[in-house]
Amino acid sequence: MKILLVGNPNVGKSLIFSQLTGLNVTASNYPGTTVEFYRGHMWKGEERYEVIDVPGMYSMEPGCEAERVARRMLDYGDLIINVLDATNLERNLNLTLQLAVCRKPMIVLLNFWDETKQKGIEIDPEKLEKFLGVPVIPVSAVTGEGLGKMVERLPEAGIPPFYIEKPDKRWRRIGLIVREVQSLRRRRPTLLERLQNLSLHPVYGLLTAAVIMGLAICFIVYTGEFFSGIIESLMTRWYLPLIQKLSGLLGRKGLLHEVLIGKLVAGGVSLKESLGLLTTGVYVAFGVVLPYISIFYFILGFLEDFGYLPRLAVLMDRAMHRIGLHGFAIVPLILAFGCNVPGVMALRNLESRREKFIAGILMAIGIPCMAQLSIIIGLVGRYGFSYLLLIFAFLFFVWTVLGVVGNRLVHGHTPSLLMEIPPYRLPRAAVQLKKLKMRITAFLVEALPFVFGGLLLVDLLHALGVIKWLSRFLAPVISGFWGLPETVTSTLLIGFLRKDVAVALLEPLALTPAQLTIVSLVLTLYFPCAATFVIIIKELGVRDTVKAVGVMITVTLLAGTFLHLTLDRLFTPQVLAALLTGAAIALGARAGGKHDPEEFADLPGEDGTGEEGGYNSGKEGIR
Amino acid sequence: MEAKRVLLLADLSPGCSGRVVRIDGGRGIQQRLEAMGVYPGVQIRKKSALFGYGPSIVAVAGSELAIGYGKARRIWVEVEEVEDPSGR
């Protein structure tokens, strides 16, 4: 028996799924957190039920890829559990009435039941049950209240006896039902609701956004540094002596010593510079990347569950249209700072192929993941804040140029924003911790093998002489264009696998600050890591991926050469950062001078039918 | 203020409410808006809007929506009540 959890986006399906199956899937307070379906199972006595968490959908006509996934799933299930947001009954019932077309047994859950009381909403579930002809059960996904009753009433699930095809008739029917079963009490707006209005205010809203983003970045950089420092001193005190002992046991040389411990630096073992699995590998993963990632996801988790991200999307909408995207695209781009893989996945919330292509390129080229950033902060930050600033200014510049050019050249149409803004909700500590734990575990499980694999590969390629051969082959570009020593070749190779390891390999090379800046930027721009690359091919298709790779190589060549010619020769990093930021802002402002006339034309991209074949079929042209 | 004016949602001032009378454009945009609860005949209230060509924030069918400028330029609203925008 297959049970589908179906409903509008952001009604709490994923949390209910976690409660029913004991499996953890990410849940947040913005529409479109789930873009794929998840399977799990639950037991009722001796019976085993398969439970499937379906991405949210507003209607039976899919508007984006995530909704298309949901639509396909509907044919697959045996029983539909329709999850409704009880604080928003009217809009949610629209899907309920349409689901009747599936002719499948159904149960209706009224989630956020506890919240209705605070909001002065009173719903009569028994009356609603009579109207819908299927069981209606009030639940609270966060506490799990009411879910037991739902499991109990599973056998009562019935096929809804109505189906109304015409939208206007359907809405009239919904109006009638809502008037009968729901009563509203007038009350004063709560503090959260006042905050809600404030954060979308044209002036205060933008100010708040700037302050929140600034604080978040400072918090991540400073606490990351702090915790990383603590872990490093703990490792030096307790872990390093163990490794030194092991090094002695292994005879201080030989193949195994080379792989596990690495090279001796000044006659001793160095956690940072020895480049062995147990030295650099462990240090990079646990001493640097782990603290930064934990703090990033701690902040992101809070912003997600509080409901801030959709507001940011609204505030950024205008600016994002200048680079060919609409406001919601900010959400995948922010997710990409944690790791590009979930960022690329979240592109499924965007409607047109053009948006996906532009956002995908911006992400793969211009957004370094937290793991890579943490090592860059540690390595480049040593020479003062200015070089770090330059890296960010440069990425911002590349971003704006690519966005503006992409907006001009990429065919197709970017529809305007249409998004539900969920209410602010105070995140619960237990839910937050669970989510944080889940994301950190995912990092450890998915990243560690690549960190160790990357270091092993360097050893292997050195031993086989591949790196020497490649260094000679790439010398004109690496030393000619970028002014870097040939020794960085191995880092470029490992960057394909794992970018944090690649940057960490720079530690023993004794590069100048300018060289470090150039190679850090080159490593960010030139190519996404293997995991991201695979997911980009899956989401964008081979053709668009090939084009994206072309753009990446061009941008990297130009950017590296430009920096080599100017940084610390013509300009100090501060001046260069200021120049690049100014140029980017000027370009962005000019590009947005007039409104995109295409938005007013009725183009196929906006009706969701022009792309029925899926963007992988490559019907629509991108130059 | 005279009653029963028909304005584009994009041009409506914040705090005003009214009834959607028409949505310009093809089946696609009609369908997408309808799925979110915006259809001819529905009661709508504009809560605020961002500068220039920014999105409009509206309250409709019990939920809050952000409608981008391009779509707000296709939704015609018959103004029924003009509120003081500060009295939200």
Side-chain angles (χ1 to χ4, degrees):
Chain A
M1 180 94 147
K2 298 184 188 81
I3 300 179
L4 302 178
L5 288 168
V6 183
N8 283 179
N10 211 41
V11 295
K13 294 176 294 296
S14 295
L15 209 50
I16 291 178
F17 175 81
S18 300
Q19 296 274 17
L20 289 177
T21 61
L23 294 174
N24 289 328
V25 291
T26 314
S28 310
N29 185 14
Y30 66 82
T33 310
T34 310
V35 292
E36 248 195 332
F37 60 87
Y38 291 93
R39 284 163 205 265
H41 62 265
M42 63 169 198
W43 293 90
K44 187 193 171 196
E46 295 284 280
E47 252 176 305
R48 183 177 186 273
Y49 292 91
E50 190 177 345
V51 185
I52 298 154
D53 183 21
V54 177
M57 58 201 287
Y58 284 110
S59 76
M60 302 293 273
E61 300 286 338
C64 63
E65 182 60 22
E67 287 197 334
R68 234 163 271 148
V69 172
R71 186 69 189 81
R72 280 197 293 270
M73 288 310 295
L74 283 180
D75 302 325
Y76 177 75
D78 302 311
L79 189 149
I80 293 175
I81 293 183
N82 180 205
V83 185
L84 268 59
D85 176 351
T87 65
N88 193 351
L89 191 61
E90 193 174 344
R91 221 270 324 286
N92 277 253
L93 277 175
N94 183 33
L95 180 67
T96 310
L97 262 59
Q98 290 182 59
L99 282 172
V101 77
C102 300
R103 312 298 306 149
K104 289 194 173 156
M106 218 161 101
I107 285 185
V108 167
L109 297 187
L110 296 174
N111 194 17
F112 297 112
W113 188 251
D114 42 348
E115 228 175 83
T116 55
K117 283 163 204 139
Q118 297 158 26
K119 292 202 164 169
I121 302 168
E122 235 169 272
I123 299 171
D124 184 345
E126 276 138 44
K127 226 173 186 179
L128 185 59
E129 198 166 310
K130 280 196 194 105
F131 273 109
L132 297 177
V134 302
V136 173
I137 304 155
V139 297
S140 167
V142 188
T143 58
E145 206 184 315
L147 290 177
K149 200 164 176 201
M150 178 214 92
V151 176
E152 235 169 75
R153 293 190 68 182
L154 272 180
E156 291 174 46
I159 296 174
F162 49 82
Y163 177 65
I164 309 164
E165 184 163 0
K166 286 221 151 182
D168 48 334
K169 275 196 191 146
R170 189 169 61 234
W171 281 106
R172 223 173 296 145
R173 175 100 186 132
I174 292 169
L176 196 104
I177 298 176
V178 171
R179 260 196 307 280
E180 286 290 319
V181 303
Q182 177 181 276
S183 60
L184 302 175
R185 239 179 323 112
R186 273 232 174 235
R187 71 202 158 90
R188 294 170 64 85
T190 60
L191 182 68
L192 277 183
E193 280 163 332
R194 279 164 206 262
L195 262 180
Q196 253 158 244
N197 291 335
L198 184 75
S199 51
L200 286 175
H201 189 276
V203 181
Y204 304 123
L206 284 170
L207 279 177
T208 322
V211 170
I212 290 181
M213 287 297 117
L215 281 179
I217 291 170
C218 289
F219 187 80
I220 292 168
V221 171
Y222 287 114
T223 34
E225 233 176 349
F226 176 73
F227 283 112
S228 166
I230 289 183
I231 297 179
E232 192 185 330
S233 62
L234 284 177
M235 275 185 158
T236 317
R237 183 126 178 238
W238 303 103
Y239 182 68
L240 191 60
L242 280 178
I243 295 302
Q244 270 160 343
K245 229 172 248 169
L246 184 68
S247 166
L249 280 176
L250 289 172
R252 307 206 135 236
K253 56 178 190 293
L255 185 65
L256 200 57
H257 187 275
E258 184 73 12
V259 169
L260 290 180
I261 314 272
K263 287 168 197 63
L264 296 181
V265 178
V269 180
S270 159
L271 282 179
K272 288 183 187 174
E273 296 182 30
S274 285
L275 305 188
L277 296 190
L278 294 178
T279 50
T280 307
V282 170
Y283 171 74
V284 163
F286 294 98
V288 191
V289 177
L290 188 65
Y292 278 95
I293 288 225
S294 313
I295 286 155
F296 175 82
Y297 278 128
F298 172 73
I299 301 233
L300 180 70
F302 182 82
L303 289 178
E304 278 178 343
D305 288 10
F306 190 61
Y308 190 68
L309 296 187
R311 269 125 190 134
L312 194 64
V314 172
L315 293 169
M316 294 300 290
D317 187 50
R318 229 6 249 146
M320 297 291 281
H321 268 289
R322 288 169 195 206
I323 54 170
L325 300 169
H326 68 52
F328 192 81
I330 196 87
V331 175
L333 292 173
I334 286 181
L335 291 181
F337 273 105
C339 169
N340 281 1
V341 174
V344 175
M345 294 283 292
L347 292 179
R348 288 190 182 178
N349 285 309
L350 304 180
E351 292 118 291
S352 69
R353 179 180 169 197
R354 166 190 148 95
E355 287 171 279
K356 274 179 212 157
F357 182 69
I358 296 179
I361 281 203
L362 290 182
M363 205 178 273
I365 294 189
I367 299 198
C369 64
M370 205 58 232
Q372 186 189 2
L373 264 180
S374 62
I375 313 271
I376 293 183
I377 291 171
L379 209 59
V380 181
R382 209 173 287 166
Y383 300 99
F385 201 61
S386 51
Y387 288 98
L388 268 182
L389 203 68
L390 174 62
I391 291 182
F392 284 111
F394 208 106
L395 288 177
F396 180 57
F397 178 73
V398 168
W399 242 66
T400 321
V401 173
L402 281 179
V404 169
V405 172
N407 191 19
R408 284 270 165 88
L409 293 188
V410 180
H411 276 307
H413 170 58
T414 297
S416 54
L417 184 71
L418 179 61
M419 181 188 60
E420 185 184 356
I421 310 173
Y424 277 153
R425 296 195 166 109
L426 281 181
R428 303 209 174 195
V431 178
Q432 287 279 293
L433 279 178
K434 208 167 154 189
K435 188 158 145 179
L436 186 62
K437 200 180 117 199
M438 190 177 108
R439 280 173 155 164
I440 292 173
T441 318
F443 159 73
L444 290 177
V445 171
E446 281 153 29
L448 275 186
F450 278 96
V451 170
F452 293 139
L455 287 167
L456 264 180
L457 193 69
V458 181
D459 285 337
L460 190 72
L461 292 178
H462 263 299
L464 292 176
V466 175
I467 291 194
K468 198 171 258 172
W469 176 80
L470 211 73
S471 298
R472 211 169 301 145
F473 181 71
L474 288 175
V477 173
I478 291 179
S479 45
F481 287 7
W482 298 335
L484 298 170
E486 281 171 30
T487 41
V488 303
T489 314
S490 59
T491 66
L492 288 180
L493 262 181
I494 296 315
F496 286 108
L497 218 56
R498 192 74 211 161
K499 298 235 179 156
D500 44 4
V501 181
V503 185
L505 289 180
L506 300 170
E507 180 83 43
L509 297 185
L511 301 175
T512 66
Q515 284 176 324
L516 258 182
T517 311
I518 294 171
V519 75
S520 298
L521 254 176
V522 163
L523 276 173
T524 308
L525 299 171
Y526 80 127
F527 203 78
C529 69
T532 311
F533 190 64
V534 170
I535 207 90
I536 285 183
I537 292 180
K538 199 176 143 212
E539 297 295 318
L540 294 186
V542 176
R543 256 180 52 175
D544 282 359
T545 308
V546 170
K547 283 174 206 151
V549 170
V551 176
M552 286 169 204
I553 293 171
T554 318
V555 169
T556 313
L557 280 175
L558 290 176
T561 314
F562 173 76
L563 270 188
H564 173 49
L565 293 177
T566 52
L567 179 58
D568 286 348
R569 294 179 185 213
L570 288 177
F571 304 110
T572 60
Q574 291 97 324
V575 174
L576 205 53
L579 283 177
L580 287 166
T581 316
I585 291 174
L587 184 71
R590 247 181 74 88
K594 66 175 177 10
H595 198 73
D596 177 14
E598 275 183 74
E599 257 209 289
F600 304 110
D602 193 24
L603 291 164
E606 196 156 46
D607 63 13
T609 51
E611 295 180 283
E612 213 73 89
Y615 38 87
N616 283 331
S617 60
K619 275 193 305 198
E620 228 175 290
I622 289 178
R623 247 187 315 211
Chain B
M1 289 279 168
E2 62 193 287
K4 299 288 169 196
R5 282 181 313 156
V6 176
L7 285 176
L8 283 168
L9 177 62
D11 301 332
L12 206 64
S13 39
C16 287
S17 54
R19 192 171 285 279
V20 173
V21 286
R22 200 177 82 223
I23 296 169
D24 294 338
R27 209 172 74 98
I29 178 174
Q30 307 260 6
Q31 227 163 40
R32 289 222 51 211
L33 285 166
E34 188 265 313
M36 311 277 283
V38 183
Y39 54 95
V42 77
Q43 198 72 28
I44 198 168
R45 188 163 70 86
K46 182 154 167 177
K47 296 185 80 172
S48 67
L50 292 160
F51 292 130
Y53 302 114
S56 302
I57 319 298
V58 301
V60 67
S63 59
E64 201 171 305
L65 300 181
I67 302 184
Y69 187 73
K71 286 191 177 73
R73 278 286 307 255
R74 295 155 164 228
I75 302 172
W76 294 91
V77 181
E78 189 181 76
V79 187
E80 287 175 349
E81 197 183 327
V82 183
E83 268 179 52
D84 175 18
S86 58
R88 269 179 282 169

